[in-house]
Amino acid sequence: MLDEQRQGEATVIAPTSILMNGKKVYVESYGCQMNFSDSEIVASIMGEAGYETTATPEEADVVLINTCSIRDNAEQRVRNRLTQFQKEKKANPDKVIGILGCMAERLKSQLLEEEKLVDLVAGPDAYRELPELVQEVESGQKAVNVLLSREETYAEIKPVRLDSNGISAFISIMRGCDNMCSFCVVPFTRGRERSRDPKSIVEEATDLYNRGYREVTLLGQNVDSYRWNISKKGEVSDTNEETVNFAQLLEKVALVHPDLRIRFSTSHPKDMTDEVLHTMAKYENICEYIHLPVQSGNSDVLKRMNRGYTREWYFDRIDAIRRIMPDCGISTDIIAGFCGESEAEHQDTLSLMQAVRYDFAYMFYYSKRPKTLAERKYEDDVPLEEKKRRLNEIIQLQMEHSLESNKRSVGKTFKVLIEGPSKRSNEQYCGRNTQNVMCVFPKTEHGVGSYVNVKVTDCTSATLIGEIVGEA
Ligand code: 5AD
Ligand code: SF4
């Protein structure tokens, strides 16, 4: 899931080391929530090494840009930004400019050696080494580490989150991805899938709760394949230790405190079990909201995408959600114009949307990515204009469905966690209901971080508008 409003955001934290080195680091992030969560780990590692974080790139000694490769336009955006930083470097040649994340992994030393846009390249599994890499650059060398790891989960590194609202935080529970969807670069940029020790996850959630946080989102490329102490084939690694699957992990985190809300992302239709759904239904503090990317409504296209499920299987998963949690919010990702997509196949996506009626969707047209299965195997043969037309139809339909979904909520009362002042007005609060819909309502004496009942009186396609009718 990409949060459009956060693209290009700077990560700033309080000084973490007693031994500051007098230098400043600027960290700017693009891409998915996992990347923003990684930037908190990067800030923490640099902080421990004595750097102070800054929100002003001009005054930084080290500029780090954490990047995304998911679509070509994500990379273009970063290239423009790097060109800007290069101009600044002309005036200040000692400044170290580094690229992190998926683009660093994908392009390896190309941006350093051929294009000369950066001094340092670090892939997603190399962040522990950042302080040394910066030193290498300072001593006049080139610094590159794009090794991917089978173990690295940064389990014991405490991400520091001072720029957040202090109420909701992300916890990364696994890294990498083994699915090999044919359109996707992630397996190449983030490496093999590995899960993080459940104890460190529960500790982090407990610590966040004690520091006043009231909502955590568990992050992974495919959270349903989370597993600890047990292999994919079901072999237990250490018979003296418990095994933990995603449903069991959810339960452990839910038990941290009833007032700590749990969300998670992303679920995969091929792996989402009824056990997870029953656990969600059992605990009031696990939010009734599932992001279940479908990508296409046609089984042949899904096959070419190597998604591991059919249209019918997907409907079965939607039925299971609605059976076990009738009020569950459901969102999705959709790709228009994948290789070989016919008009009839596109119509299948629209008809699937009509049948499911998503509350929300992230929608894209297909962008060919180097090295992926699709790039090697299929022709990117849907003309751009056609891709755009199909995407537009998908967006139009989704807007109708989102508005419909919000209209159904008018007159109802929801338990909402107050996240802070609304974007538009200081007189208004904002916060989400369990289904992840943003609600806006006039401020009362209730503080940020408390739960209130909000009665919805009006809506747009993106927001519910209401008023507090009591404490929840
Ligand atoms: N082109 C377009 N969209 C893509 N996504 C992933 N790879 C591509 C691509 N090559 C979308 C998928 C995924 C979301 C994070 O981005 O819908 O779920
Ligand atoms: Fe996240 Fe994928 Fe972009 Fe990497 S390429 S930042 S994993 S969305």
Side-chain angles (χ1 to χ4, degrees), residues 70-71 183-184 295 333 335 364-367 369:
I70 198 100
R71 282 168 293 274
F183 50 78
C184 190
Q295 313 298 2
D333 290 348
I335 299 178
F364 318 96
Y365 62 74
Y366 173 63
S367 152
R369 307 309 291 130

Side-chain angles (χ1 to χ4, degrees), residues 164-168 212-214 416-422 426 428-431 441 443-452 468:
S164 86
N165 58 9
I167 301 300
S168 46
Y213 284 79
R214 291 296 173 263
V416 170
L417 171 63
I418 304 178
E419 288 179 25
S422 89
N426 235 342
Q428 304 265 325
Y429 272 145
C430 69
F441 40 94
K443 265 187 185 169
T444 55
E445 73 285 0
H446 301 89
V448 171
S450 52
Y451 289 98
V452 286
I468 298 178

Side-chain angles (χ1 to χ4, degrees), residues 2 30-32 34-35 67-70 102 185-186 189-190 221:
L2 265 83
Y30 293 85
C32 61
M34 185 74 81
N35 247 20
T67 61
C68 172
S69 290
I70 198 100
C102 292
V185 283
V186 174
T189 61
R190 290 192 162 259
Q221 299 296 342

